[in-house]
Amino acid sequence: MSTRKRIKPSRRPLARFPRKAASAALALSLIASALPLQASAGDTWPFTGDSAQGLNQPSVHGYTSGHILDWTPERDRDAELLRSRVPLQPRIAPFAATQADPTISSDVHMMNVAGDYGNAFIENAPYTNKFAQYHFNFWQYTDYYSYWHGTATAYTPPEYYDELAQKDWQQKWFEFGMLNIPNPTYTDAAHKNGVLSLAGIFFSNNDRGQQTYKQMIVKDANGNFPVAEKLIEMAEYFGYDGYFVNQEEIGPNVAVADIPDYQEFVKTLKASGLYIQWYDSLNTDNGSNTFARTFRGNNIKFLHDSEDGQQVSDSFFFDYGMGKSQIDAAASFLNNWNAQYGTDYSLFENGYAGLEAGRDRFKNVQGSALNAKLDAEGNMRTSLATLGADFVHAGLDEDMNQGWPSRKRNENGFQWMTDIRERLWWSGPNLDPANTAVTAQNAAADVYADTRYWPGVASVIAERSVVGGDTFYTNFNTGHGLDYYVNGKVSNDEEWSNMSLQDILPSWQWWQETSGSKLDVAFDYGRQYETGTRFDHPLIGAYEGGSSLALRGSLDAETFLRLYKTDLSVASASELSVTYNKTVKSDDSLMSVGLIFADAPDDVVKVTVPDSGGKTQGWKTTSVDLGAYAGREIAAFGLVFEPGATPIADYRMNIGELQISNKTQAAPSAPTGLAIEAVYPESGEMLVNWNLDDNYDEVQLYNVYVNDTFVGGKYDETFYIKNFPSQSGVVKVAAVGPDGTESAKAEVPFNLNTAPEQLKATAAANGGLTVKWTVPRSVKGDTTVNVRSVNWTTTPQPIDETLTVPHGQTTAVFANMPVNGDEYIVTVSKNGLTPVSISGTFADTIAEPYAEDWSWSGNTLNLPMPNSRDWRYLYVYEDGKLRSFPTTYNVGDRDRIIRGRTTKASLNFTSTAAKVEVVLEDYSGNKSEPVVLKGE
């Protein structure tokens, strides 16, 4: 651990969020009347302590159709910090000869519908100071990564993430959006690996409250779909590639009359170039929520429209019961359809047979479900889709039979289990993609898994790779760490998670070829990391990032560890460098780089790393010349370890970096335009900006430092720093090239020791905003105070006002500010000193009246869901008495419509009352003026 002094900001809970509490009496009544159910151990909860959400930390949130219709980046909370800018990277051509199983066809694709990190439902930060989160490490088997779970909509007050909500996922009394956009750092990692990142659209009977597909497929006067147009715009802005559409509503079902419009809506998305996968859950003959588990006449409309000949979606995700008879039927149906309409649909391009990973896990039923999708030779007959493969992390407590409030998966000491469980799921029961045979006895009880039934995804999906061209490097950085290392030294001793920093990880985890004992192989996170019994060896940490590659054990025969599937061109100037650390005594062992060339895939060419048997004094980098192989293509490579004259009982080697380069790659230029956008001294946060170089071939990452402490990185033009490590110094940003070389650093100074401090802003109910601060006496001159609203809602335009306060005064009072609970940022500047900011919300004294297009059809009222950002309850008075409405998950009627929990059927009801009026209540408890819908 380093001994640098850390600034520990005082974290005032819930600042920046609208401080809006629901009625305590109602909350108690909801809790008292709720039916307590067994907690889902795979649920997510707010992080606590130092890992708690920062006051100004960006967070992914959900969207209703109304939010989407009204969407602009300027009015969407944290939008500029939730973008992925990494372009989708091309994958190299399939080459069966270097696959772990050469018999697997590359035509079989993989859709992975799962969660991200470990807090995907709420407060889902792109990057944060929390190590114990889920970091997906197996992009090589995945073609599409999507989401299904939903995320709480913006401005949901954090107090609603209470103990009741945490104990039982059916007792979350707040709203999840029907749209779940990807976490941008997961999109970064997906794109680096050639994987398409898809947002999730999900309508169900319970999970989305009042939300229904009808709000999404509404047409304008010109017959266009405004929500679809906004979804296209959002995908472009946020940088993701398409949508996984899951339509599971019942009570009422999808109206048959709406299906043509629904088709056209999906076509609009696909026509824009987005990838669309449709979950096969809709019977188009009657609108019911039905799983055909095959292609047939009552679902084909969402793949192909025979009326106009257009393709509707790109593919189907078939429900989990798809087996031999359903696959036979689907193949026959598509053959006939193709013959009739001249199409060329196939079960590999357009049909994905599903597995319920999160439910069935490593059980016998999972293995049987996979076997039902295989032919006689053990090959997939369709492409494959899984739901919930992140159970390897999210389901750990449940598999350990731990109930609420157990959170073992959020504890650092249990992450080794997540690592093993994930490799069991993807690489197979022997943790070796070249040996996926199930075992007679369970060998994974120590990680609450089972090796007797599930052969691993690697048994049916061929590994893919993006490692092409002539340049490649990796630090084996999985995207999180207990420390961050730079050049083999700890630069920052805070734990962290950031998938944008994840390297291209090994194609095989782990494929060893040896006649002797296999080495233990693992990612090394340093001495603090608990390794369990599977890797009971000393750790040393990383060379660059959070992890290195560690090999330990008995080296008693030549061992080839295959690492990367590639298509790398070798030139006369090409070289390969290995940065390694051998921590035990010198011996006569030898490490070589094992190259497999495309023109001789059965041969391993060993390129010796000189003196690699000697004990190193820390990290050592050795370069080897590849010029002798100029003109050839490296189809795969790894490392070869040889023991020398006698076996080595305790062999220890860490690999910190592998780099292949032709030495023509110039270091990128230093970033331009670096500026500090905001410093929040009260919470220890900072936001910095620079100009993005959009040539990804030259710049692939930006590293951000405060002084010489690494604080994060991303390929973007802005970065949020959760805990700046010094009161003064220099913010530095370096561009990183494709070979890992950093540019010179751009720099911008700051000094909070002389800046205004003790900022406080108080909003009053009369529209006043009082700002106070202190300054050192030695600093002369006027003070400038600016207030600007962000993500404004009901005001016609955002607030942006500045006052100049004479020297000696430390108070500024703004008048006529909003009183609707909008967010603001106040910035105080004095005489060229570092400007400082504080965020908060204006007073909230008003609730906007209900303003949707309600209508009557006889005695039936159509009551559209409020689209306001700030509403909690909608009261319906019939002749002065409150009407009650059913709630989702059948927990009883309530005397109001509750945002996110009243059923969508409540939006249409019959009333014979002489007078009907409605009142909205917001999160602060303000009630609107009544709107009369019937009578005087």
Side-chain angles (χ1 to χ4, degrees), residues 54 131 406 497 616 701 740 767 839:
F131 172 73
S406 173
S497 292
T616 58
L701 181 67
S839 62

Side-chain angles (χ1 to χ4, degrees), residues 667-671 699 735 743-744:
S669 300
V699 175
S743 71

Side-chain angles (χ1 to χ4, degrees), residues 373-397:
K373 300 167 181 26
L374 308 180
D375 63 18
E377 286 73 43
N379 299 310
M380 285 290 297
R381 300 180 62 199
T382 70
S383 286
L384 181 67
T386 62
L387 173 67
D390 56 318
F391 81 87
V392 296
H393 174 86
L396 178 61
D397 296 270

Side-chain angles (χ1 to χ4, degrees), residues 664-670 698 735 737 739 741-744:
T664 61
Q665 180 74 41
S669 300
E698 295 184 0
D739 63 350
T741 302
E742 277 194 342
S743 71

Side-chain angles (χ1 to χ4, degrees), residues 280-296:
D280 175 43
S281 55
L282 178 63
N283 183 320
T284 56
D285 286 348
N286 58 26
S288 66
N289 179 219
T290 302
F291 304 102
R293 302 184 178 95
T294 189
F295 283 118
R296 61 188 186 189

